[in-house]
Amino acid sequence: DVRNLYAALRAAFPADLDRTAIETDTGLHYTWRDLERGSAMIAQELLSRGLQPGERVVAQVDKSVEALMLYLAVLRAGLVYVPLNTAYPDAEVEYFVRDAEPAAVVCVPQRFGRISALAFAAGARFVYTLGADRSGTLLQRAAHRPDQHDPAPVGLDALASIIYTSGTTGRSKGAMLTHGNLLANARVLHGYWGWRPDDVLIHVLPIFHVHGLFVAVHGALLSGSPMLWAAKFDPTTVLRWLPRATVFMGVPTLYSRLLAEPELTAQRCASMRLFISGSAPLLIDTFTQWQQRTGHTILERYGMSETIMLTSNPYRPDPRFGHQDERRGGTVGFPLPGVEVRIADAHDQPLPVGEVGGVQVRGPSVFAGYWRMPDKTRAEFTADGWFRTGDVGLFDTRGYLTLVGRSKDLIISGGYNVYPAEVEGAINELPGVAESAVIGVPHPDFGEVGVALVVPRAGAPLDPEAILAALRQRLANYKIPKRCAIVAELPRNTMGKVQKNVLRQQWRDTFI
Ligand code: ATP
Ligand code: MG
């Protein structure tokens, strides 16, 4: 009976702890023993300072294997890990530190002055530094600590981590995830994606979000599989590693950047078993180009900070869905085993197959609520315990879920619902279009109308009027954006998500 996620991960380490667990792009080799000992020493350091179970440790540090050890140390010590996006400036860090009220904060050495001041002001008792090159006080202090530590038997209901959401639709919220949430999801993915001990994962995602920290890291650790580890995504490094690897995880922008490399070939991907995409919608174009270039079909999955992974395209025949094994581009696949997903109307009533509505979920990985936002938590759960994801989608008759947008991005134009994803899909199919975003802006007659921002393919001449004319051939009149503009790029956050709130702000005064 497992009472600490770390203990479960540790139990899956290979028998030979001197094998390489992580190889970095900077030429470092860490063994499984290094992970075990390093995280034990950091846990001992934190506990020696009197940190108590349930207290938070905020970390805003560059990606490194030591940063991963810090995460594992916090788990095994029974503390709560709160990673922050490294791009946040001081003012944002201040907001999160005040919100999380951590006992300890770990920051990069260069920012110690400012971050320690704001952390102490917010009540933190310790501020450590950790540099990407193993510099800083955290490791200096931990070096004097014992290298053994028994994971705290906190129980599966204990908080393991607070993940701040990406802030795509507004201010980030802290999602409280328990040891049990994380372990349940890691185990489900282990089975569903067919993880094997001889897998080798290319890890190039940041480790301050669900995708890089939980889906990728837990996947590899729980299968005792080594990782090839780069602090930042660089297509050249990935191309160099592909012949030695079996699994790759990326956000859609990573796939399009790899496609821009002529050296991406089927031969280079010969040892690969699985390419996984998520965090943002994967364009059909990327999906098919990837198939043509590499012979591999990207497996797209869907999840969020509040729930970890919810749905996945099949890796192999899924007996629950008539043994289908087709990974369908444009869909996010089937509910994972143990996860219930339903489409509901505005009154939380389940809708039939084929109808568009709010995606609601239930299952062992659904979070314990928003940190210190009980009202918000209550508002996002239905009376019968389903979590409202805020995403809008539909099931097809074969059981695949397709997302059509977020409820906050829904455009209500003259009383009609317009799903931006449908309009974007139509625009993206036009020649010369690389991608697009459709947003709703205020309009005196219609309440709201759509504005389409379109990014051309390199060198392709695009005419906004021609785009609108083409759309009129394909879509009902109320779905046609009232304005179309050609833009060089779309604003994205670090997870590759288009920031529609930024666009709405920019185009707000178009008609008023
Ligand atoms: P915030 O909640 O702060 O506005 P966010 O929802 O972007 O930000 P995350 O929890 O990091 O923060 O992201 C979860 C969201 O990402 C999902 O609700 C969904 O909208 C989107 N997403 C994840 N995977 C996919 C996918 N495969 N296709 C489309 N959207 C996806
Ligand atoms: Mg969200």
Side-chain angles (χ1 to χ4, degrees):
D1 96 300
V2 176
R3 284 182 291 165
N4 185 307
L5 169 63
Y6 181 77
L9 299 173
R10 171 69 184 84
F13 285 13
D16 180 3
L17 290 178
D18 292 320
R19 283 177 26 200
T20 298
I22 303 183
E23 177 183 332
T24 71
D25 59 338
T26 50
L28 299 173
H29 291 70
Y30 294 78
T31 64
W32 295 91
R33 193 185 307 285
D34 291 333
L35 295 185
E36 161 65 20
R37 288 184 68 228
S39 61
M41 292 164 90
I42 298 173
Q44 292 282 14
E45 163 59 22
L46 296 172
L47 292 171
S48 76
R49 304 285 165 180
L51 268 67
Q52 298 296 315
E55 285 199 300
R56 277 80 54 213
V57 176
V58 162
Q60 191 197 32
V61 291
D62 293 322
K63 179 178 173 184
S64 68
V65 177
E66 287 72 22
L68 175 61
M69 289 180 189
L70 170 62
Y71 164 60
L72 298 176
V74 169
L75 282 184
R76 59 194 293 171
L79 303 166
V80 180
Y81 192 63
V82 189
L84 293 185
N85 188 329
T86 42
Y88 289 146
D90 295 344
E92 298 231 52
V93 175
E94 179 164 21
Y95 169 81
F96 291 114
V97 168
R98 279 175 186 280
D99 189 52
E101 269 196 76
V105 172
V106 187
C107 67
V108 294
Q110 311 85 280
R111 290 175 69 182
F112 177 73
R114 307 269 284 281
I115 303 276
S116 62
L118 67 86
F120 288 129
R125 306 198 294 284
F126 306 97
V127 179
Y128 295 96
T129 55
L130 175 61
D133 56 356
R134 302 193 254 190
S135 59
T137 56
L138 180 71
L139 301 180
Q140 281 166 20
R141 305 248 164 88
H144 300 284
R145 300 295 169 192
D147 62 359
Q148 298 195 353
H149 170 265
D150 288 332
V154 285
L156 291 180
D157 289 341
L159 275 196
S161 182
I162 298 173
I163 295 291
Y164 283 98
T165 59
S166 300
T168 310
T169 57
R171 181 130 236 177
S172 300
K173 302 140 284 185
M176 299 194 285
L177 297 165
T178 65
H179 285 251
N181 290 149
L182 297 172
L183 183 57
N185 209 241
R187 286 187 165 149
V188 164
L189 294 178
H190 181 81
Y192 206 70
W193 292 346
W195 276 98
R196 306 190 315 218
D198 61 349
D199 272 327
V200 177
L201 171 71
I202 297 180
H203 193 303
V204 293
L205 291 164
I207 53 170
F208 48 73
H209 274 315
V210 163
H211 198 166
L213 186 61
F214 301 147
V215 184
V217 164
H218 293 168
L221 296 187
L222 200 58
S223 129
S225 304
M227 292 187 256
L228 301 170
W229 178 274
K232 290 212 166 59
F233 170 75
D234 170 23
T236 320
T237 309
V238 174
L239 287 171
R240 182 159 54 81
W241 279 342
L242 279 172
R244 300 174 48 201
T246 63
V247 183
F248 176 83
M249 295 189 194
V251 296
T253 38
L254 303 195
Y255 285 98
S256 32
R257 286 180 59 191
L258 282 166
L259 279 168
E261 301 289 324
E263 285 174 57
L264 179 78
T265 58
Q267 199 196 344
R268 203 168 268 276
C269 298
S271 69
M272 288 297 292
R273 179 172 78 74
L274 186 54
F275 288 95
I276 298 173
S277 174
S279 295
L282 181 72
L283 295 177
I284 288 282
D285 197 36
T286 312
F287 177 86
T288 38
Q289 274 193 55
W290 195 269
Q291 257 174 344
Q292 286 158 3
R293 282 279 285 287
T294 71
H296 287 272
T297 306
I298 298 174
L299 178 153
E300 184 169 4
R301 94 295 179 285
Y302 156 59
M304 55 197 305
S305 310
E306 294 91 332
T307 63
I308 335 177
M309 294 302 103
L310 292 167
T311 72
S312 170
N313 271 280
Y315 169 64
R316 50 185 163 212
D318 188 329
R320 298 172 308 152
F321 294 91
H323 296 276
Q324 292 177 92
D325 62 358
E326 191 196 346
R327 298 175 206 159
R328 303 189 69 197
T331 83
V332 292
F334 306 132
L336 284 164
V339 177
E340 293 175 273
V341 181
R342 73 177 188 189
I343 304 298
D345 66 13
H347 308 288
D348 299 325
Q349 294 308 305
L351 287 167
V353 166
E355 288 198 28
V356 175
V359 178
Q360 302 188 344
V361 301
R362 228 160 43 169
S365 63
V366 174
F367 71 149
Y370 291 110
W371 171 253
R372 292 191 176 163
M373 295 173 103
D375 295 342
K376 172 89 180 149
T377 303
R378 224 169 291 125
E380 301 306 347
F381 280 89
T382 67
D384 48 350
W386 294 78
F387 173 62
R388 302 189 178 94
T389 62
D391 291 309
V392 179
L394 72 159
F395 278 110
D396 67 17
T397 49
R398 298 164 67 185
Y400 291 83
L401 178 69
T402 297
L403 298 177
V404 298
R406 297 175 180 243
S407 53
K408 284 195 176 169
D409 292 341
L410 184 76
I411 304 167
I412 305 179
S413 194
Y416 290 101
N417 283 355
V418 180
Y419 298 102
E422 185 190 2
V423 186
E424 289 158 7
I427 297 175
N428 295 348
E429 281 171 16
L430 300 174
V433 173
E435 59 172 349
S436 61
V438 173
I439 50 161
V441 299
H443 188 278
D445 295 334
F446 298 100
E448 222 180 4
V449 295
V451 171
L453 292 326
V454 184
V455 180
R457 281 182 198 279
L462 279 184
D463 170 19
E465 287 313 313
I467 290 174
L468 292 176
L471 289 181
R472 283 188 202 103
Q473 309 297 311
R474 297 159 171 247
L475 297 172
N477 196 38
Y478 69 91
K479 298 179 183 172
I480 309 295
K482 293 279 176 288
R483 176 69 57 87
C484 176
I486 310 300
V487 296
E489 58 179 13
L490 300 174
R492 285 199 149 80
N493 61 24
T494 36
M495 295 308 284
K497 298 167 198 265
V498 176
Q499 292 170 298
K500 291 201 168 175
N501 50 344
V502 171
L503 291 173
R504 274 194 292 265
Q505 191 65 27
Q506 280 171 3
W507 293 85
R508 200 183 45 185
D509 300 331
T510 310
F511 299 99
I512 52 170

